Amino acid sequence: MLSAFPSHAEKMLNNCYNILFGRWNLSIHSSKIHEFLNLQYQLFSAFSQCYPQANDFTSLLNFPRSGVVVADSQRWSFVKHGLGLRFVREHPVPQLVVDMHDQFGDCAKVDWWRLTLFLESMGTTIERVEAEQAVLDHNRHIQQVAR
């Protein structure tokens, strides 16, 4: 299955998979971070399969401006903006937002902005400081697991 992907996408998917399915102790937001990263992985995989010609992961010059992908039987629309893609789940409802606003293709990346938009789309309010701390805790744990 992965052999049809551009080699860059295949490497990124493998890295994401290794991070996603590692074990860690759950903090208050880490289960949501895990859910978010899993969705990023699924969306990146679906996008790479639907748009194999989109291989400029630095500037996204050959990426479509908008489109639709299906990931895990869920319909997601996307819009290119800046150096990233914003995915919005259309079906099933409720709508969820996964905004890979930069470094598209690094589906193991989570930052306070990505986490905040995702949680808010789920109806959960989070302060910036709380989101930043959750991401720092997550990154610290990933570094410990990697050792």
Side-chain angles (χ1 to χ4, degrees):
M1 177 174 123
L2 291 178
S3 61
F5 291 4
S7 62
H8 182 74
E10 183 175 318
K11 288 176 189 174
M12 293 179 118
L13 282 171
N14 286 334
N15 289 340
C16 293
Y17 183 87
N18 291 334
I19 289 172
L20 277 175
F21 299 106
R23 295 182 185 157
W24 64 62
N25 296 325
L26 296 179
S27 70
I28 216 164
H29 293 295
S30 65
S31 65
K32 293 301 180 191
I33 291 174
H34 187 288
E35 183 179 348
F36 172 78
L37 291 171
N38 188 40
L39 283 172
Q40 276 193 156
Y41 174 80
Q42 290 177 18
L43 291 168
F44 180 72
S45 178
F47 179 86
S48 295
Q49 289 176 6
C50 290
Y51 303 95
Q53 74 285 0
N55 57 12
D56 176 10
F57 291 95
T58 304
S59 302
L60 312 184
L61 293 176
N62 60 356
F63 278 48
R65 296 183 92 156
S66 62
V68 173
V69 297
V70 175
D72 195 25
S73 302
Q74 299 176 9
R75 180 182 165 90
W76 294 77
S77 62
F78 68 86
V79 177
K80 181 172 94 169
H81 67 94
L83 296 177
L85 297 177
R86 177 185 178 102
F87 291 87
V88 177
R89 186 173 73 182
E90 295 178 349
H91 181 16
V93 292
Q95 288 187 337
L96 293 179
V97 174
V98 174
D99 191 350
M100 295 183 243
H101 64 95
D102 65 353
Q103 297 177 1
F104 181 75
D106 183 358
C107 56
K109 178 182 178 170
V110 62
D111 57 30
W112 75 270
W113 183 245
R114 292 179 187 209
L115 180 60
T116 299
L117 291 177
F118 178 65
L119 291 176
E120 287 179 351
S121 74
M122 300 175 87
T124 302
T125 304
I126 186 170
E127 297 294 324
R128 178 178 178 165
V129 173
E130 188 179 4
E132 288 174 338
Q133 187 61 52
V135 169
L136 284 172
D137 292 345
H138 168 76
N139 290 339
R140 212 173 289 123
H141 178 77
I142 294 300
Q143 290 174 351
Q144 289 173 351
V145 170
R147 289 181 194 165

